[in-house]
Every structure is written in C-alpha cells, then in structure tokens.
C-alpha cells in the first residue's frame, strides 16, 4: 500500500465507531449546522454583485446570523462554471474587511478561498475555518498555511478550475471515483502533516459534475460520511436544483428544493449545509431533527 493509502487506513481504524470530530471553536454540536453563503463577488451565479460593498456585505452577514446561520462563509472569488480567476489582492480587498467586522461582532466566519495568502490573512482577521473548494490543490502553499494556522480545512472534491471544470465531468462510476479521489486527497494532506481532526470533506457539487453526477453523489452520501470526517454539502441554488423549478423562475424559487436537499443531507449525517436562504433551511433542518428524535 502507498504511504498515502496507509495513512488513510490508519486514520480510519483509529476513528472506527466514533462520531466525526466536529467541535470547532464553540460551534453547536448534535445537529447539522447552517453555513450561510456571503459572496462578496461581482459575478457569482446567484447573487453576484449584491454584496460587493463591504457595508452591504456586513449587513447581510448580520442578517444571515440573525436568521439562524451558525457560520458565515465569506468568499471573494466566484467559482461558477466558466468563471475566470481574479487577482489575489482583489480577493483580499473584498473579503478581509467583511471577515474582520463580522468576527469582531462575535460571528463564526469561514473563508471561501483557494489562495493560501488569503487564508492566512482571513484567519488573522478572525476566520475560524478555511473552506477551499480545491482542497488545497489550487495553491501549493495552502497545506503549509492550514498546518501553521492550525485551523479546520474543508476539502472539496475538485478536478480543476472553473474555466475548464465542465470538460472534466467525465466518470465511469461517479460515486466510486469521487469517494476515491477525495479519500486520496485527504490522505495526502494527512501525510503532509495536516491533523485528521482538522479535516472536513465536501462532495463539491457542481465542480466537474453534471446534474446526474450531483444526484448520484448525493444519493450515496454515505460513501463520504463513512470517512469518519465531518461532511459539508453545498447544493444551494446550483444548476441541478434549478432544473427542478420552472424555467426562467427567479433564483429564490430554488430555495425550497435546496432546503429539502439540506434536510435529506442532514438525515444522511451531514455536519453542515452551505446555503443562501437560512430561514427556509432552518425550517427544513427542524423537520430532519424532529424526525431523528422520532426515530430514536
Ligand atoms: N460551492 C461554491 C463555492 N464554495 N464551498 C463548499 N465547501 N462547497 C460548495 O459546494 C461550494 C463552496 C459555489 O457556489 P456559490 O457560487 O453559491 O458560492
């Protein structure tokens, strides 16, 4: 077995039968958390340009928290299919003032970035979690950054940047390949020195995945929860959800089906769901929790 494979199976044996370590900086335990999306971007597919001014972004972050968000996920670079990269300095100018302000007001903040330097500055500004949709693959320096910062890292399944990712949505068995690639990535990070207790995984819905791939991966989410690591699911308002509502309907029409996906993901043991509409998600997660209590 390779060094990477051995590291993962050692880690797995160590965690057999235990629930994922999912206690970060006082975040609630025992229920699926709501990670609310705060895109400080000009071109995100569902809310681009709305929160580009720092004051507007901070005000929206506070609204999301008041509505019941547990974590505010602040991102400055759009990762919608086809999106071009932006300069790191531009990303930092967008997210850092917002993160600093929200963290100072006592909110739990994660930073959605593929850049190690942004992750470092964001954590200095008060972010508790680094959410890297590339799982550290886009920037060589990310692994070192999360090790030295000693912060949790959300590792998504990822095959390449937004500009080219749709061409990489080619699978024989999507469930097996996503699980294997993500498992390999996690093992690599562990071999390089990231503590397993600092890792979370995410199927990366929409990243090098067509609708049918997203649904397959969701339908077999147990393959990812079996890693024994906290699982984050980000389906909110994505194109495959949009296909369930009337063509041309406003983005908000995707919030109800997104919330249903959140409840189903919660039932499958998701640690957190990354969403736009906190209120509807909260109601849906309430159903999942009541159902779970009923089943206990
Ligand atoms: N999706 C997007 C951005 N960041 N982070 C995680 N952990 N999981 C996701 O699925 C994810 C993400 C793209 O969607 P957006 O434009 O709505 O932010």
């Amino acid at each position: 077995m390779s060094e990477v494979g051995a590291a993962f199976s050692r880690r797995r044996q160590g965690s057999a039968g235990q629930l994922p370590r999912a206690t970060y900086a006082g975040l609630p335990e025992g229920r699926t958390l709501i990670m609310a999306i705060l895109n400080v971007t000009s071109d995100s597919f569902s809310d681009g340009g709305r929160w580009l001014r720092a004051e507007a972004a901070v005000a929206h972050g506070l609204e999301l928290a008041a509505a019941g968000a547990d974590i505010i996920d602040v991102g400055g670079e759009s990762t919608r299919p086809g999106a071009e990269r932006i300069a790191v300095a531009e990303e930092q100018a967008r997210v850092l003032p917002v993160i600093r302000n929200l963290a100072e007001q006592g909110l739990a903040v994660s930073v959605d970035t593929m850049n190690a330097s942004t992750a470092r500055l964001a954590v200095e500004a008060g972010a508790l979690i680094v959410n890297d949709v590339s799982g550290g693959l886009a920037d060589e320096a990310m692994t070192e950054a999360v090790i030295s910062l000693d912060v949790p890292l959300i590792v998504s399944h990822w095959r390449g940047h937004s500009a080219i990712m749709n061409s990489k949505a080619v699978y024989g068995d999507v469930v097996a390949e996503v699980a294997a690639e993500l498992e390999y990535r996690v093992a690599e990070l562990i071999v390089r020195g990231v503590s397993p207790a600092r890792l979370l995984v995410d199927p990366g819905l929409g990243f090098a995945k067509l609708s049918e791939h997203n649904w397959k991966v969701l339908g077999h989410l147990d393959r990812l929860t079996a890693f024994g690591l906290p699982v984050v699911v980000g389906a909110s308002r994505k194109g495959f959800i949009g296909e369930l509502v009337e063509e041309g309907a406003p983005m908000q029409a995707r919030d109800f089906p997104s919330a249903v996906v959140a409840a189903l993901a919660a039932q499958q043991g998701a640690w957190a769901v990354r969403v736009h509409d906190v209120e509807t998600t909260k109601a849906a997660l309430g159903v999942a929790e009541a159902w779970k209590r009923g089943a206990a």
Side-chain angles (χ1 to χ4, degrees):
M1 192 186 286
S2 68
E3 192 190 358
V4 168
F8 197 83
S9 55
R10 266 201 309 277
R11 198 204 58 73
R12 256 194 181 169
Q13 280 155 18
S15 69
Q18 288 168 23
L19 283 172
R21 294 269 312 270
T23 314
Y24 300 123
L27 287 170
E29 282 181 80
R31 65 171 172 83
T32 299
L33 302 183
I34 300 180
M35 176 186 251
I37 300 167
L38 183 51
N39 283 327
V40 194
T41 59
S42 55
D43 57 347
S44 282
F45 71 94
S46 71
D47 53 1
R50 285 193 72 188
W51 321 115
L52 197 51
R53 274 181 40 250
E55 310 84 81
V58 168
H60 185 51
L62 295 173
E63 270 168 23
L64 293 166
D70 299 294
I71 305 162
I72 311 294
D73 189 41
V74 182
E77 180 175 25
S78 170
T79 48
R80 70 181 162 74
E84 295 296 333
R85 305 289 319 264
I86 60 161
V88 178
E90 172 66 24
E91 181 196 38
Q92 293 173 1
R94 289 178 181 181
V95 300
L96 295 177
V98 178
I99 292 172
R100 188 169 297 110
N101 192 317
L102 294 176
E104 273 170 12
Q105 300 201 49
L107 272 58
V109 178
S110 55
V111 60
D112 185 345
T113 185
M114 291 183 275
N115 293 308
S117 61
T118 305
R120 282 188 188 277
L121 292 170
V123 171
E124 271 171 32
L128 302 175
I129 298 174
V130 175
N131 174 26
D132 180 351
V133 295
S134 81
L137 286 169
D139 185 346
E140 261 288 297
M142 186 61 92
T143 310
E144 241 348 278
V146 295
I147 293 170
S148 61
L149 295 166
D150 194 23
V151 286
L153 173 70
I154 302 174
V155 180
S156 288
H157 175 260
W158 189 83
R159 283 184 166 185
H161 285 288
S162 301
I164 52 114
M165 67 183 174
N166 282 354
S167 68
K168 300 201 177 249
V170 182
Y171 300 89
D173 178 339
V174 64
V175 174
E177 286 169 51
V178 167
E181 288 168 28
L182 199 50
E183 189 167 348
Y184 188 85
R185 185 67 203 130
V186 163
E188 265 183 339
L189 289 163
I190 294 170
V191 166
R192 288 191 56 191
V194 181
S195 162
R198 289 299 198 205
L199 289 171
L200 304 89
V201 290
D202 184 315
L205 299 172
F207 290 91
K209 288 169 205 78
L210 308 178
S211 297
E212 71 210 65
H213 301 136
N214 294 322
W215 289 117
K216 273 270 173 205
V217 171
L218 280 172
H220 294 85
L221 206 59
D222 57 321
R223 290 289 290 273
L224 301 194
T225 52
F227 289 11
L229 298 174
V231 174
V232 178
V233 174
S236 184
R237 293 188 184 173
K238 287 187 177 167
F240 73 106
I241 301 287
E243 288 169 10
L244 301 174
V245 303
E246 225 171 287
E247 219 182 308
M251 273 297 162
Q252 285 72 10
R254 300 182 183 189
D255 288 336
F256 179 71
S258 300
V260 176
V261 170
L264 293 170
Q267 200 155 39
Q268 292 296 307
W271 175 78
V273 286
R274 182 179 178 278
V275 299
H276 297 85
D277 178 352
V278 171
E279 270 167 36
T280 313
T281 306
K282 197 172 172 204
L285 292 181
V287 175
E289 277 158 38
W291 190 291
K292 201 164 126 190
R293 282 197 300 276

